[in-house]
Amino acid sequence: MKKLCFAVALAAMAPASWAQGYVGALVTLSRLTEACTPSFRCDDDRKTGQKFFAGAYLPDAQVLSLGSAKINRVEIGAMRMGRVTSTGQVATQVYVNDADGERYLTVQVPAETRIQADAIMAAAVMEVPLVQQVNLTAKLGLAYVSAT
């Protein structure tokens, strides 16, 4: 997977060697509530995430014109959402065979859950002029998302 990510990054950034490029970073607010159930307490489901991205404007020969719209950039990025940790008790049944006979006991076992989401992405960027010096920007691409 790392080789695929590296190849996608190289392919997306190849135009940067002969075009104008840009880089950026964002800090986001994220809310991961999947770890917070009635039987599990969360430390805090509101975390911050980070997004890092880089892109390149394509030279005129590589720009794809679609009427007034044009695909004139490529962009890659990586995103990481904050990790949520929750703790609670899980009911587990245990089979016991002792002097009192065979039976099942319900035991409360402490458990901990951690959830984190990461993504890498590559996209083509399209610009549609709305009015003078105002453009609508849309991205279409691929993303690999991993949640653990």
Side-chain angles (χ1 to χ4, degrees):
M1 184 48 125
K2 290 181 182 179
K3 290 179 184 179
L4 175 64
C5 296
F6 183 70
V8 169
L10 281 180
M13 292 308 296
S17 62
W18 31 263
Q20 183 180 8
Y22 59 93
V23 295
L26 298 169
V27 176
T28 64
L29 298 175
S30 61
R31 188 169 184 182
L32 298 171
T33 59
E34 287 79 12
C36 306
T37 61
S39 60
F40 281 85
R41 291 184 323 273
C42 286
D43 55 354
D44 186 7
D45 66 350
R46 293 185 178 111
K47 299 289 184 177
T48 58
Q50 304 86 29
K51 177 182 177 183
F52 301 99
F53 61 93
Y57 284 90
L58 300 172
D60 291 336
Q62 301 290 325
V63 172
L64 179 60
S65 294
L66 306 168
S68 64
K70 58 184 176 180
I71 298 176
N72 63 349
R73 290 187 273 165
V74 291
E75 190 171 292
I76 60 169
M79 191 174 359
R80 168 163 280 183
M81 303 310 231
R83 181 177 15 194
V84 174
T85 303
S86 63
T87 56
Q89 300 286 325
V90 176
T92 304
Q93 288 197 343
V94 178
Y95 174 76
V96 178
N97 185 1
D98 59 7
D100 294 335
E102 297 178 12
R103 64 185 184 279
Y104 286 96
L105 299 176
T106 302
V107 180
Q108 295 290 329
V109 179
E112 183 174 274
T113 303
R114 291 189 179 132
I115 294 181
Q116 178 175 320
D118 300 311
I120 56 171
M121 59 212 94
V125 182
M126 180 175 70
E127 290 183 358
V128 180
L130 298 178
V131 294
Q132 186 177 4
Q133 296 185 0
V134 177
N135 292 335
L136 173 69
T137 303
K139 295 180 185 179
L140 179 62
L142 301 172
Y144 173 75
V145 180
S146 171
T148 55

